[in-house]
């Protein structure tokens, strides 16, 4: 399955210098937050693949202008062609804005999904905005990851964990890919295509 991953920065390659062929052959698009709703609507218009997204910490505009033709998977377990995708958007709470959560609040969101996870038989892809604590996150509060994401990976061993939030241009130590036990972790900053 060919999956396009997006987060944090609208890709000029896809938007400003668009050619329809750049979106051909995709099976799925996963957006990990902080993208203009018009950009996601644009992507959804030119691909036959479903565009699934979670909210980033800057996505309050989605309340008035949600991306057309896209599916929000925040706080649910969504199944597509046998892949079970769990969505938990938002970042660590640093200024009390919407789509920001304390560790306790994020853990409560996960607990509310346990029945759906049990019913689905687990999760294949964990889609979030923030990274997991201690894996590709930063020390400052706004870019700190959530411990509960590590707990989810420990319990369910998803094949893939997709996040954004920590931009690749923040410094040399920011990784595009990493692994945690059996889980492949990808920072979806701007755009990245994978085969799963």
């Amino acid at each position: 399955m060919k999956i396009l991953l997006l987060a944090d920065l609208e890709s000029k390659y896809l938007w400003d210098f668009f050619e329809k062929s750049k979106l051909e052959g995709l099976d799925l698009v996963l957006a990990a937050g902080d993208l203009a709703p018009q950009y996601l609507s644009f992507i959804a218009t030119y691909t036959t693949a479903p565009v699934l997204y979670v909210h980033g910490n800057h996505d309050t505009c989605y309340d008035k202008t949600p991306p057309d033709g896209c599916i929000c998977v925040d706080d649910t377990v969504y199944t597509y062609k046998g892949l079970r995708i769990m969505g938990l958007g938002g970042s660590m709470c640093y200024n009390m804005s919407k789509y920001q959560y304390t560790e306790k609040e994020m853990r409560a969101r996960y607990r509310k999904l346990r029945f759906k996870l049990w019913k689905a038989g687990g999760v294949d892809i964990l889609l979030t905005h923030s990274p997991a604590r201690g894996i590709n996150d930063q020390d400052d509060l706004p870019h700190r990851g959530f411990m509960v994401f590590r707990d989810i990976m420990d319990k369910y061993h998803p094949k893939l964990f997709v996040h954004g939030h920590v931009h690749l241009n923040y410094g040399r130590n920011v990784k595009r890919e990493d692994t945690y036990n059996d889980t492949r972790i990808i920072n979806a900053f701007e755009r990245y295509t994978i085969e799963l």
Side-chain angles (χ1 to χ4, degrees), residues 131-145 165-167 170-171 173-175:
R133 183 68 180 131
I135 307 172
N136 302 338
D137 67 342
Q138 304 279 293
D139 290 328
D140 63 310
L141 182 60
H143 297 98
R144 189 177 301 159
H165 194 51
V166 179
H167 299 199
Y170 282 178
N173 297 328
V174 179
K175 295 180 184 177

Side-chain angles (χ1 to χ4, degrees), residues 7-172:
D8 300 301
L9 179 68
E10 294 77 16
S11 171
K12 289 184 178 186
Y13 173 80
L14 294 176
W15 207 2
D16 294 358
F17 306 107
F18 178 71
E19 292 174 22
K20 192 172 179 187
S21 62
K22 293 177 181 179
L23 296 175
E24 289 176 357
L26 293 175
D27 298 296
L28 185 61
V29 179
L30 298 176
D34 282 355
L35 294 165
Q38 298 84 357
Y39 175 66
L40 290 184
S41 298
F42 173 83
I43 297 291
T45 300
Y46 289 101
T47 182
T48 57
V51 178
L52 311 181
Y53 71 91
V54 294
H55 295 94
N57 56 303
H58 298 299
D59 287 339
T60 54
C61 64
Y62 284 35
D63 296 346
K64 291 183 181 176
T65 313
D68 293 326
C70 303
I71 301 165
C72 180
V73 295
D74 247 336
D75 299 307
T76 194
V77 178
Y78 183 89
T79 302
Y80 177 70
K81 292 190 175 179
L83 280 180
R84 301 156 299 177
I85 303 154
M86 177 182 180
L88 288 169
S91 75
M92 188 64 73
C93 185
Y94 60 93
N95 69 6
M96 305 305 288
S97 185
K98 191 171 185 179
Y99 306 124
Q100 294 180 19
Y101 306 91
T102 64
E103 181 72 43
K104 185 178 179 182
E105 290 169 333
M106 186 62 77
R107 193 167 293 278
R109 291 174 67 198
Y110 157 60
R111 278 196 304 269
K112 287 181 181 176
L113 290 176
R114 285 189 299 190
F115 178 73
K116 288 182 180 180
L117 286 164
W118 174 80
K119 192 173 175 184
V123 61
D124 299 301
I125 299 175
L126 175 59
L127 176 63
T128 71
H129 180 60
S130 290
R133 183 68 180 131
I135 307 172
N136 302 338
D137 67 342
Q138 304 279 293
D139 290 328
D140 63 310
L141 182 60
H143 297 98
R144 189 177 301 159
F146 290 96
M147 280 300 300
V148 69
F149 297 161
R150 292 175 77 120
D151 296 343
I152 292 167
M153 288 188 284
D154 286 338
K155 180 167 179 138
Y156 296 101
H157 304 280
K159 296 174 190 164
L160 186 63
F161 172 28
V162 177
H163 70 84
H165 194 51
V166 179
H167 299 199
L168 292 180
N169 57 8
Y170 282 178
R172 290 184 291 149

Side-chain angles (χ1 to χ4, degrees), residues 167-184:
H167 299 199
L168 292 180
N169 57 8
Y170 282 178
R172 290 184 291 149
N173 297 328
V174 179
K175 295 180 184 177
R176 169 69 85 179
E177 290 203 39
D178 210 337
T179 56
Y180 178 79
N181 296 332
D182 303 328
T183 303
R184 181 180 179 191

